[in-house]
Amino acid sequence: MTTPDPQYKEHVHRSAAAIVGGVLLLGIALWLGVDAVVAGKGSTPWRALAALLLVVPLVTAFTLRPAVFVGQDRLRVRNPFRIVLLPWGQIETLRSGYSNEALTKSGAKFQLWAIPVSLRARNKAARREARRVAQGGGPVGGSGGSGAFGGSGRGAVSDGPVRAESDQVMDQLRELHEARGAAESAQGEVVVRWAYEILGPAVAGGVLLVILLVVGWGRSGSRSSRRITARWVGGCRRWVGG
C-alpha cells in the first residue's frame, strides 16, 4: 500500500494569455452592450441584453473558466462546458500533439483546454536547444516563478533539454501519473459533469436573440411590403387615370 505524501498540495494550471484576452473581450462586450441598453431605441435594448446573455457566458467559458487542478489522487479538468474528474489510476497516458489530452483506460479522450499548445513556443525552444547543444550542452536559463500556466515553475537554471512551457507542464503531469497511478487512493471512476451554469444562460440568450431578430425582421418586412404595394397601386391608378 502506498502512503500518501502529506506534503503534497493541489495546484492549478491556467493560461494567463486566455485570462487577459477574456477580461478584455468581456470589457468590450459590456461597454457596447450597456451603451446599447441605455441609448438604444425600440427593440435595441432587448437585443443588446439577449446578446450579452449569449456572449458573456461563452467568452467566460473559453477564456476564464478553463483550468487543470492537479491533486495527489486525481486530475480535475475544467473545460469550457464540462468538468472531468480523472483519478490517476484511470489515466492511460497524457498525450501532447497539436493539443494536450488525457486518455483514459476506457478509451475516452479529454482535452486540457487550460494548457494550450504553442507551436511558436516549441519552435523557439527547439532553436534554444540547438544552440545549447552547439555550445557543448551546458545549462540554460529557465523561467522561474509560476509561469504562464500557474503552478510552480522550473528553476532558474535547467540541465535538461530546453522545452516549451506547456510541454514542461505535461512532463510534470506524466511524472506524477507514473508516481501515483498505482496508489490505492488514486483509483476510482471517471466523473463527467456538464456546466449547466454556462450552457443555460448561453442557450437562453441565443434563443431570445433569434426570436427578437425574427420578430424585428418580420415587422420591417411587413412595413416594406406595405410601402411597395401602396406605390404599385398608386402607379396603376395614375396610369389608368391618364
Side-chain angles (χ1 to χ4, degrees):
M1 177 178 176
T2 305
T3 303
D5 183 6
Q7 301 299 322
Y8 190 86
K9 295 182 179 180
E10 182 181 76
H11 58 281
V12 59
H13 294 287
R14 306 180 72 179
S15 173
I19 293 175
V20 172
V23 171
L24 291 176
L25 288 175
L26 287 176
I28 294 173
L30 291 174
W31 172 45
L32 295 176
V34 172
D35 181 69
V37 171
V38 174
K41 297 180 180 180
S43 61
T44 299
W46 293 105
R47 293 180 184 178
L49 288 174
L52 286 176
L53 193 59
L54 170 65
V55 170
V56 171
L58 291 181
V59 172
T60 302
F62 285 100
T63 59
L64 305 182
R65 178 180 168 82
V68 174
F69 300 87
V70 184
Q72 180 174 263
D73 297 325
R74 65 183 182 181
L75 194 66
R76 181 159 60 98
V77 181
R78 192 171 68 189
N79 282 342
F81 302 119
R82 294 189 298 182
I83 293 179
V84 185
L85 302 181
L86 295 167
W88 290 116
Q90 288 295 326
I91 296 177
E92 181 67 26
T93 185
L94 293 161
R95 185 172 65 186
S96 296
Y98 290 105
S99 63
N100 292 313
E101 301 165 339
L103 279 68
T104 66
K105 294 181 178 179
S106 63
K109 178 176 66 176
F110 301 100
Q111 184 174 344
L112 307 181
W113 280 78
I115 311 177
V117 171
S118 172
L119 297 180
R120 180 174 177 272
R122 281 182 176 175
N123 292 334
K124 182 178 179 180
R127 290 193 297 268
R128 291 184 60 197
E129 173 64 11
R131 288 197 300 267
R132 186 184 75 92
V133 173
Q135 294 171 359
V140 296
S143 57
S146 59
F149 298 102
S152 57
R154 298 273 181 172
V157 176
S158 173
D159 294 327
V162 180
R163 304 267 285 165
E165 188 170 359
S166 62
D167 293 332
Q168 293 180 23
V169 172
M170 292 301 291
D171 289 341
Q172 295 173 3
L173 296 182
R174 292 187 188 99
E175 293 173 2
L176 188 56
H177 172 235
E178 293 177 0
R180 297 293 301 166
E184 182 178 350
S185 59
Q187 309 304 313
E189 296 296 327
V190 176
V191 178
V192 179
R193 184 179 71 84
W194 288 95
Y196 294 107
E197 65 275 13
I198 296 291
L199 293 172
V203 171
V207 172
L208 181 58
L209 183 61
V210 169
I211 292 174
L212 291 173
L213 291 176
V214 169
V215 171
W217 177 83
R219 290 177 178 176
S220 62
S222 299
R223 288 194 294 267
S224 298
S225 298
R226 287 195 296 268
R227 285 196 299 267
I228 293 173
T229 302
R231 290 176 182 176
W232 183 79
V233 171
C236 289
R237 287 178 177 175
R238 286 193 297 271
W239 180 78
V240 172

